[in-house]
Amino acid sequence: MAEKKEKLFDQFPPVSTEEWRAKVDADLKGAPFEKKLVWRTNEGFNVQPMYRAEDIADLKTTSSLPGEFPFVRGTKTDNDWLTRQEILESDPVEANSKALEVLTKGVNSLGFTVAVPSVENIEALLKGIDLEKVEVNFNCCPTKAVGLAKSLVEFLEKNGKTDVFKGSIDFNPLRKALKFGVKLDMEVVVAESKAIVETVKNVPGVKVLAVDSIMLNNAGAYIYQELGYALAWGAEFMTKLTDAGLSADEVAKRIKFNMGVSSNYFMELAKFRAARMLWAEIVKQYNPECCCAAKMVAHAITSRFNMTIYDAHVNLLRSQTESMSAALAGVDSITVTPFDVTYKTPDDFSERIARNQQFLLKEESHLDKVVDPAGGSYYVETLTVSIAKEAWKLFLATVENGGFFALVSDGKVQEEIQAASKKRHDDAARRKEILLGTNQYPNFNEKALDKIETTACDCGCSPEGADAEHSLPKTRMASDFETLRLDTEKALNRPKVFMLTIGNLAMRLARAQFSSNFFGCAGYEIIDNIGFDTVQDGINVALDKKADVVVLCSSDEEYETLAPEAYKSLAGKAEFVVAGAPACMDALKEQGIENFIHVRSNVLETLQEFNKRLLKH
């Protein structure tokens, strides 16, 4: 007798979107749905609290398979990626020794920085490395890139490795313009770009035209900005070099996208899916002979913009989710930035951890075993299309206004990224963007001054023609808070903040925790308390502890009487602060109480003012 299979969901009636919405509205008890549950992203579109099959019914992103044009679901039929490590040693022999060591630890992609391009140095760097199994990537000064390409080709031809070599030369003629605001010489850019492509014509596996949108990411660009400008950057290579006589296939197959990946987990995952789709459509317009030319080669690098000096091990959590986004998105290779890069040259320990973060995703989470695991997700598919639309708007605007190269030369791209970076710094100051351990839940007693070995600035000396106003920002999102806290460490005194907790139990505890986190962001000593029976008891203990700041923590209703009493009793012997924004705030201000901290406060500016008043140098 045939086995009867029961379908579980047949036992339940279907539920419509309208029914779900009615249930949500009922639970909101009159609160506006759009205000409470709909998220307005920095990318310019809304994210709904729920998605259903009907939301992706008309999306074309679900109609292709992995490896099929337009490659939204990946350019491969597997999800394996290369684990890359940057070799920081400058001496070729030492760099080779380090490379051979890390190759025994699971790495299969290397990044070298070449100061002096020569066949001898290439031989020293690659000695003993199996080029059939290892991807090799070179970074050098853009003016030396053609020379490096010639040396590499000569080495490969000499050793019969031209057909097996896989890797890249990071030729980025826009680097100085982006970093320093230097004007571009378009003729030189095109001539050098064409020359390097022609130099490597007999080495099919090397990419030599770099779209380094990681520079924009590390400067604070929003996701749609990085993607939109990356597409415009790549398209400009296509246009200028095909106009110069190269075929679409020759150019497209030499482009490599080195993209950043930040901690916005699903948005970053969707970004790479949208990137492949849009790039394929762009390349198609140049009529390449092979559809394979439209495949984007994407290398993902975890962002430095959101990395921190204080509570630096939280950087591990950030880079772990970032690399996970990139892996699930189907990128070709990943570099995990070591967690300590913000304050020192990464050491063996931090490099090992960075490698192992990728191995955890492969060997324990098996993310390399499933192609496009997010495909078909109502949420991710919708995000993919939404990000694609916003990036495409920016791409079109860039093309219509003269192209990416011209806008970079004029500093217009840099100005847009500066505005985005400033907005993100402001959002961090107000805790609209959270940096765990820096502007929220800091480790009050952590010291960082002694561990800082470098300023983590790799910009070098400003070249001739530099224009700081038209260069990319160089500060991380945490930099302002770190400056604030380092000033506290450098001071002769460490301010003490005393929590005068009194009255309503729940409110005083909640506001004491809030206030402790608030002032902890400046590295002040926090003196918390369970509670006092009278205001005078609290003031007496605060003065006995030699507190520099006394924070009254109670309920809004009790502040009307408690705050004036505490303020008068303190008599100016310490800064007085009320935790909250009570309805009686104006009345309290009339009595001389000036300091209030609450969720709408600009944490950074408030603490900067306290530092000015309290620190002794």
Side-chain angles (χ1 to χ4, degrees), residues 308-342:
T308 63
I309 292 175
Y310 287 94
D311 220 343
H313 288 96
V314 178
N315 293 331
L316 293 169
L317 304 181
R318 298 184 183 105
S319 58
Q320 189 68 62
T321 62
E322 290 166 1
S323 55
M324 189 173 179
S325 293
L328 292 174
V331 301
D332 297 280
S333 55
I334 300 174
T335 293
V336 173
T337 305
F339 75 90
D340 55 357
V341 73
T342 55

Side-chain angles (χ1 to χ4, degrees), residues 159-290:
N159 291 275
K161 298 294 185 181
T162 55
D163 292 333
V164 299
F165 181 83
K166 300 291 182 184
S168 67
I169 295 174
D170 188 40
F171 171 62
N172 175 4
L174 279 65
R175 188 178 299 168
K176 283 187 178 180
L178 286 167
K179 275 191 174 182
F180 305 110
V182 176
K183 289 283 186 180
L184 288 173
D185 186 326
M186 295 299 179
E187 291 185 3
V188 172
V189 169
V190 175
E192 290 183 344
S193 300
K194 184 180 181 182
I196 197 168
V197 171
E198 292 177 333
T199 299
V200 299
K201 62 182 179 181
N202 294 325
V203 186
V206 63
K207 311 292 181 184
V208 292
L209 301 174
V211 175
D212 284 335
S213 66
I214 177 62
M215 297 179 67
L216 310 182
N217 183 290
N218 284 338
Y222 289 119
I223 289 173
Y224 83 96
Q225 289 178 315
E226 182 188 2
L227 178 52
Y229 284 135
L231 295 170
W233 191 339
E236 189 106 2
F237 273 134
M238 293 292 298
T239 298
K240 291 194 178 301
L241 294 183
T242 52
D243 287 348
L246 298 178
S247 71
D249 294 77
E250 285 180 295
V251 182
K253 290 181 180 181
R254 299 300 182 181
I255 296 176
K256 185 172 187 176
F257 288 79
N258 299 305
M259 304 182 73
V261 52
S262 65
S263 297
N264 199 330
Y265 182 78
F266 286 106
M267 296 277 277
E268 288 288 356
L269 196 166
K271 178 186 76 177
F272 286 103
R273 300 177 86 245
R276 287 193 298 267
M277 176 179 66
L278 295 177
W279 179 244
E281 295 291 355
I282 289 171
V283 174
K284 182 181 178 181
Q285 303 310 307
Y286 293 86
N287 299 313
E289 293 182 4
C290 177

Side-chain angles (χ1 to χ4, degrees), residues 83-105 107-115 124-126 129 134-139 335-336 338 345-346 348 351 355:
T83 300
R84 178 166 160 180
Q85 180 168 331
E86 307 304 318
I87 305 301
L88 303 180
E89 280 74 7
S90 57
D91 179 77
V93 175
E94 293 179 3
N96 172 259
S97 177
K98 180 64 176 287
L100 292 174
E101 177 191 350
V102 301
L103 287 175
T104 66
K105 303 179 185 301
V107 167
N108 51 13
S109 177
L110 299 168
F112 292 110
T113 296
V114 180
L125 280 173
L126 301 183
I129 296 175
V134 180
E135 180 191 70
V136 180
N137 306 277
F138 298 97
N139 182 35
T335 293
V336 173
T345 299
D348 289 341
E351 289 180 336
R355 290 193 303 269

Side-chain angles (χ1 to χ4, degrees), residues 398-549:
T398 303
V399 173
E400 290 168 1
N401 285 288
F404 185 73
F405 289 10
L407 291 182
V408 167
S409 185
D410 292 339
K412 300 300 183 183
V413 171
Q414 295 91 314
E415 288 176 4
E416 291 298 316
I417 305 304
Q418 286 173 3
S421 178
K422 182 181 184 305
K423 175 67 164 57
R424 297 188 69 183
H425 276 82
D426 289 345
D427 285 348
R430 291 177 168 82
R431 289 177 172 170
K432 291 182 179 179
E433 278 205 53
I434 299 299
L435 285 169
L436 191 65
T438 297
N439 69 351
Q440 185 70 287
Y441 304 119
N443 179 347
F444 309 147
N445 298 314
E446 181 183 7
K447 306 294 182 185
L449 195 59
D450 292 340
K451 74 178 183 180
I452 299 176
E453 299 176 10
T454 69
T455 58
C457 177
D458 61 355
C459 56
C461 297
S462 297
E464 184 179 351
D467 180 359
E469 291 185 5
H470 294 107
S471 63
L472 289 176
K474 298 176 177 64
T475 56
R476 292 171 289 103
M477 189 159 57
S479 297
D480 298 327
F481 277 94
E482 290 167 353
T483 299
L484 178 82
R485 193 159 174 180
L486 289 171
D487 284 345
T488 301
E489 283 195 47
K490 294 172 185 176
L492 298 175
N493 63 311
R494 183 188 181 196
K496 296 179 179 181
V497 182
F498 184 90
M499 302 300 153
L500 201 170
T501 50
I502 190 170
N504 183 287
L505 179 62
M507 291 305 300
R508 77 191 191 202
L509 293 179
R511 282 179 162 160
Q513 183 182 47
F514 172 85
S515 302
S516 296
N517 285 323
F518 193 104
F519 284 99
C521 292
Y524 295 172
E525 180 182 344
I526 306 299
I527 304 173
D528 201 358
N529 299 282
I530 296 175
F532 296 96
D533 294 329
T534 67
V535 166
Q536 191 59 54
D537 287 343
I539 295 296
N540 291 340
V541 176
L543 294 177
D544 184 58
K545 297 282 187 179
K546 298 181 179 180
D548 299 284
V549 181

Side-chain angles (χ1 to χ4, degrees), residues 360-379:
L360 283 171
L361 299 181
K362 283 190 177 185
E363 305 302 329
E364 298 192 23
S365 301
H366 307 296
L367 298 191
D368 59 334
K369 300 297 189 291
V370 181
V371 185
D372 190 30
S377 160
Y378 307 151
Y379 181 42

